Amino acid sequence: MSVPDEFSPEANVGRGAVDLSDEIPHFDDAFLDAVRGQNSWLRLADGTRTCLPVTRWLGTSGDHEDAAFDRHIARMCSGPTIDLGCGPGRLVSELIEHGVCALGVDRSARAIAMTRKRGGVALRRSIFERMPGEGGWHHALLIDGNVGIGGDPHEVVRRAADLVAPGGTVIVELESGVGSAPGWNGSVWSGAVRVESRNVAGPWFPWARVGVGAAREIAERAGLQMGTAHVISGRHLVELVRP
């Protein structure tokens, strides 16, 4: 399914687009490692690290619960949907298969190429730059931890809220069982992280993690209303509604 003209990437080329040639695609090496059958990790500044679920992002984990989660997100979307931080494009592809027009946005050239190879439409741009169809999308997605982009989840959710039409939703994935580790402020953690593989350690960059306990706060600070909460395959989603 194609994206209508008002939502197409070309609709805003030259109006706020940025040169990303000098930006570092933090997760690109992780995608390549997964293709090679190798693991990658997200290292926090305190020294702890978490294995990155890259095969899940690629849609190649083979786990039926991952597939069920993706299908559920697609069923939550009834109209044009923008996936912020789309990565390799599995959700864009899933939405298209469900008859929903979708646009993926990512600053990684590799991620955009992978999305397009799946048959999806994708735009290489920071989520904070001007987008096609601003204020007209039915849904904006912040899945797979993308609410943490840039280290300020409140700003990320506010940005997503600007993209959707009144009555539209920002669908956010949040974490459960968090808040007691060092660096957490209630249900929000922010700090420096880097992507590591067996042979390579990338540069540090700002990131955030958000627990389900922060849902109402991030909604209110973005001018959104709490909608329905979902638990699918042990993962937490919340719909935040633009009045």
Side-chain angles (χ1 to χ4, degrees), residues 141-217:
L141 302 182
L142 290 168
I143 310 299
D144 296 332
N146 285 327
V147 68
I149 290 172
D152 186 346
H154 301 293
E155 187 63 27
V156 170
V157 175
R158 277 193 292 267
R159 177 66 185 118
D162 289 341
L163 295 174
V164 299
T169 61
V170 178
I171 301 173
V172 187
E173 182 180 5
L174 302 174
E175 297 186 47
S176 63
V178 299
S180 59
W184 284 87
N185 178 15
S187 294
V188 177
W189 177 93
S190 62
V193 300
R194 70 182 183 189
V195 176
E196 298 180 354
S197 64
R198 185 167 57 186
N199 300 313
V200 178
W204 296 98
F205 60 96
W207 197 253
R209 296 170 62 191
V210 184
V212 293
R216 187 169 299 278
E217 178 186 354

Side-chain angles (χ1 to χ4, degrees), residues 5-235:
D5 289 344
E6 65 268 30
F7 297 116
S8 69
E10 291 78 11
N12 283 293
V13 170
R15 292 192 295 158
V18 293
D19 180 4
L20 301 179
S21 58
D22 293 328
E23 293 202 25
I24 299 168
H26 300 297
F27 293 99
D28 276 8
D29 288 337
F31 297 147
L32 290 178
D33 286 341
V35 171
R36 299 177 184 128
Q38 300 175 7
N39 290 329
S40 296
W41 296 268
L42 190 70
R43 174 80 67 178
L44 277 60
D46 65 7
T48 60
R49 72 176 188 177
T50 303
C51 189
L52 292 172
V54 186
T55 56
R56 174 191 289 171
W57 299 344
L58 291 167
T60 59
S61 70
D63 189 324
H64 71 278
E65 291 191 345
D66 289 343
F69 180 82
D70 293 351
R71 288 194 300 269
H72 186 85
I73 290 175
R75 289 195 293 266
M76 293 170 68
C77 300
S78 59
T81 300
I82 186 166
D83 184 8
L84 301 175
C86 67
R90 83 176 194 285
L91 289 174
V92 172
S93 178
E94 187 75 31
L95 287 161
I96 292 171
E97 289 182 11
H98 280 75
V100 177
C101 74
L103 173 67
V105 178
D106 205 291
R107 69 178 194 163
S108 162
R110 181 167 290 126
I112 295 303
M114 296 172 83
T115 301
R116 291 173 177 169
K117 188 174 182 179
R118 293 172 181 261
V121 179
L123 177 65
R124 189 183 179 212
R125 188 169 296 182
S126 164
I127 69 169
F128 297 105
E129 295 301 316
R130 185 161 179 81
M131 296 291 171
E134 294 233 4
W137 294 92
H138 290 201
H139 311 282
L141 302 182
L142 290 168
I143 310 299
D144 296 332
N146 285 327
V147 68
I149 290 172
D152 186 346
H154 301 293
E155 187 63 27
V156 170
V157 175
R158 277 193 292 267
R159 177 66 185 118
D162 289 341
L163 295 174
V164 299
T169 61
V170 178
I171 301 173
V172 187
E173 182 180 5
L174 302 174
E175 297 186 47
S176 63
V178 299
S180 59
W184 284 87
N185 178 15
S187 294
V188 177
W189 177 93
S190 62
V193 300
R194 70 182 183 189
V195 176
E196 298 180 354
S197 64
R198 185 167 57 186
N199 300 313
V200 178
W204 296 98
F205 60 96
W207 197 253
R209 296 170 62 191
V210 184
V212 293
R216 187 169 299 278
E217 178 186 354
I218 65 172
E220 291 176 351
R221 289 179 60 170
L224 301 172
Q225 297 174 348
M226 285 290 294
T228 305
H230 307 249
V231 181
I232 308 298
S233 302
R235 299 168 68 182

